[in-house]
Amino acid sequence: MSITVSNISKSYKSVKALENISFNVKEGELFGLIGPDGSGKTTLFRILTTLLIANEGSATVADFDVVADYKKIRNNVGYMPGKFSLYQDLTIEENLEFFATIFGTTIEENYDLIKDIYVQIEPFKDRRAGKLSGGMKQKLALCCALIHKPKVLFLDEPTTGVDPVSRKEFWEMLKRLQQKGITILVSTPYMDEAALCDRIALIQDGKILQIDTPQAIVKHYPKQIFNVRANNTYQLINSLKAYEHNHSVYPFGEFVHYTDKRADFEREDLIQYLESENLSDIEIEKTLPTIEDTFMELAK
Amino acid sequence: MKKENVIEAQNLTKMFGDFTAVNAISFEVKKGEIFGFLGANGAGKTTAMKMLIGISKPTSGKANVAGFDVFTNAEDIKKNIGYMSQKFALYDDLTVKENITFFGGIYGLSRKQIKEKSNNLIEALGLEEVANKLVGALPLGWKQKLSFSVALLHDPKIVFLDEPTGGVDSITRRQFWEMIYKAANQGTTVFVTTHYMDEAEYCDRVSIMVNGKIEALDTPKKLKQQFKVANMNDVFLKLARG
């Protein structure tokens, strides 16, 4: 096992940030922690990277204990915090050299590992980190986290606030790193990125709701979901919410996702009801659940 | 009945030295419309938005926002719009009530109006229990909903939302969009940027900026037809990747 987490709890004063968290990450696995702001993701990252000590429980990273062997862990992991933490007044190249030196290595020694990513920012290597765009900062931070060839890579919301194009490129980079044998623990609030992980843990309010492969998580969804559309989305949402048989109602892209409490749901009944609410152009079709549907059902 | 335009931009351009951040963009937004303003990081969205809300002077072109010219009446624009960004939020060390009172005052509302609005708003958001708590102690989702309501305190004609739902959980994100639908239904125009492509589908019309220019502008449905793809994410990837 590359990461083991056993019954970890952490509180800040009266706030329980993590409650009895347990999971394992296999060697070479791309494991996702999926949850919103404030769900405890960052606290967990800080415990696993030895920057914070848990109140209860134990954890190992690359077979080292996070408390007893913290120095060994620091040599064996790369950590990209959610907040940009490089030196703003050093250039791209200077930042990278600095991190290489700290870990007793050189850019040349591990250039292979970062090459794919570094070539994209190399044309700007004399630019100060503070002057870089969001996408470029993110690439530099990833290079700095990789320069000592870590066994395990921790990425805390690497794509938050990043546009869809850069997000896609970033995940392609992660897949390539995984192929080089690096274990990756990554957190994200974007549910569509969850599908790109080998396994995911859904986390909310410091608790893990479910752990499984993305495919299996979607399979466990208990209801039939319907895509509903009408001429006025705002009225449609209000009417569906007022419908006595509704189990859940969520706007979802161009449709509203609706589930019904009854096992013998009849589409015609709902159409009639919506028409009585003065809605028109009504469409109701079966659809498959997404990870986000599952998350909302579990978090309800 | 043809609805009036509340934003009109014609060849709106902003240059920083030799660099053209916004390159002659032209578009209109109608009253009560939810208008999605999309683009990659660095495409020029924020610069364009700053010109529209009257805090950055365009280099050339024309724009009229809420009936006022961005060159000559920037101050009037500020009084007639609401603005909310992911970063700005509210004052963490003021309570919910104090924040509402403060912003109400800034927007020039009377004491009576502030009191009334404040009570309505706290009730509508279900914040009775935390009305006298510091905003800093609230979960992010609540802060964002409060912040949106505060941006609407003075009944602006247009509200500008700059990535209002970043990092917010799925359920709260949807509650937030329901608030947007409600505001639009009451006639407030909503101008919104987002990196969540499923949210782009909630908009009446969407524009996509690439390298300072608007490269696409239509309803999500028509954009998907035009680019022959199933969702807005693929529209975005096709356009922004070239």
Side-chain angles (χ1 to χ4, degrees), chain A residues 37 163 234 241 251 254 292, chain B residues 41 170 174 178 202 224:
Chain A
D37 252 44
D163 68 70
Y234 178 62
K241 283 192 167 176
E254 58 185 313
E292 191 158 25
Chain B
N41 298 109
S170 301
R174 285 172 170 76
E178 285 168 26
Y202 300 156
K224 284 183 279 182

Side-chain angles (χ1 to χ4, degrees), chain A residues 53-68:
Chain A
I53 294 177
N55 298 122
E56 284 166 56
S58 60
T60 67
V61 174
D63 297 324
F64 298 115
D65 184 89
V66 288
V67 180

Side-chain angles (χ1 to χ4, degrees), chain A residues 17-194:
Chain A
L18 291 174
E19 265 189 89
N20 206 17
I21 299 266
S22 301
F23 66 93
N24 295 321
V25 180
K26 293 173 211 149
E27 225 171 284
E29 194 172 24
L30 176 51
F31 191 95
L33 274 178
I34 318 295
D37 252 44
S39 57
K41 302 191 300 288
T42 300
T43 300
L44 185 57
F45 273 109
R46 294 177 64 82
I47 290 171
L48 294 177
T49 52
T50 77
L51 301 173
L52 198 65
I53 294 177
N55 298 122
E56 284 166 56
S58 60
T60 67
V61 174
D63 297 324
F64 298 115
D65 184 89
V66 288
V67 180
D69 301 319
Y70 75 97
K71 279 191 179 163
K72 285 183 184 139
I73 289 182
R74 289 179 188 182
N75 278 321
N76 282 290
V77 305
Y79 176 38
M80 186 173 153
K83 201 174 159 219
F84 185 70
S85 305
L86 303 179
Y87 292 94
Q88 311 261 8
D89 46 2
L90 294 185
T91 65
I92 287 185
E93 199 176 23
E94 286 165 348
N95 264 299
L96 196 54
E97 256 175 31
F98 176 78
F99 282 94
T101 312
I102 285 210
F103 286 105
T105 182
T106 58
I107 298 179
E108 293 72 35
E109 200 174 322
N110 292 316
Y111 190 71
D112 242 22
L113 198 57
I114 62 162
K115 191 176 158 234
D116 284 352
I117 311 157
Y118 191 61
V119 290
Q120 301 175 44
I121 51 173
E122 208 168 10
F124 312 98
K125 65 180 193 225
D126 296 325
R127 195 180 289 185
R128 289 184 186 195
K131 298 277 179 202
L132 299 175
S133 72
M136 280 162 68
K137 277 185 182 166
Q138 177 207 40
K139 282 171 189 152
L140 175 59
L142 184 58
C143 286
C144 290
L146 281 171
I147 197 62
H148 59 298
K149 210 177 177 184
K151 289 183 184 146
V152 185
L153 192 56
F154 292 95
L155 307 170
D156 193 3
E157 296 205 10
T159 55
T160 291
V162 174
D163 68 70
V165 177
S166 308
R167 287 210 280 136
K168 190 158 183 257
E169 287 171 357
F170 194 83
W171 278 88
E172 287 162 2
M173 286 188 275
L174 292 192
K175 288 279 179 190
R176 284 197 293 271
L177 290 172
Q178 190 192 6
Q179 279 159 15
K180 289 177 181 163
I182 297 177
T183 305
I184 302 173
L185 182 67
V186 58
S187 71
T188 177
Y190 293 99
M191 299 285 161
D192 57 338
E193 293 182 345

Side-chain angles (χ1 to χ4, degrees), chain A residues 36-37 134-135 157 160-169 172 189-192 204 229 232-235 237 241 249-255 292 295-297 299-300, chain B residues 39-42 45 86 140 163 166-171 173-175 177-179 181-183 185-186 194-199 201-202 221 224 230 233 236-237 240-241:
Chain A
D37 252 44
E157 296 205 10
T160 291
V162 174
D163 68 70
V165 177
S166 308
R167 287 210 280 136
K168 190 158 183 257
E169 287 171 357
E172 287 162 2
Y190 293 99
M191 299 285 161
D192 57 338
Q204 174 134 325
R229 179 150 60 183
N232 181 322
T233 310
Y234 178 62
Q235 272 175 33
I237 293 167
K241 283 192 167 176
V249 178
Y250 295 115
F252 222 96
E254 58 185 313
F255 299 101
E292 191 158 25
F295 192 95
M296 290 193 288
E297 179 64 25
K300 245 176 120 172
Chain B
N41 298 109
K45 292 187 311 264
Q86 187 187 357
L140 178 74
E163 285 181 43
V168 173
D169 71 88
S170 301
I171 294 178
R173 215 147 65 77
R174 285 172 170 76
Q175 290 167 346
W177 272 92
E178 285 168 26
M179 291 172 70
Y181 278 128
K182 188 176 177 190
N185 217 50
Q186 289 166 350
T194 177
H195 283 318
Y196 291 94
M197 287 303 117
D198 60 324
E199 293 189 345
E201 311 257 7
Y202 300 156
K221 198 175 175 181
K224 284 183 279 182
N233 195 51
F236 192 94
L237 291 178
R241 262 195 181 166

Side-chain angles (χ1 to χ4, degrees), chain B residues 140-154:
Chain B
L140 178 74
W142 291 22
K143 278 190 200 173
Q144 294 302 84
K145 283 193 269 183
L146 178 61
S147 177
F148 178 59
S149 305
V150 166
L152 291 172
L153 263 186
H154 55 306

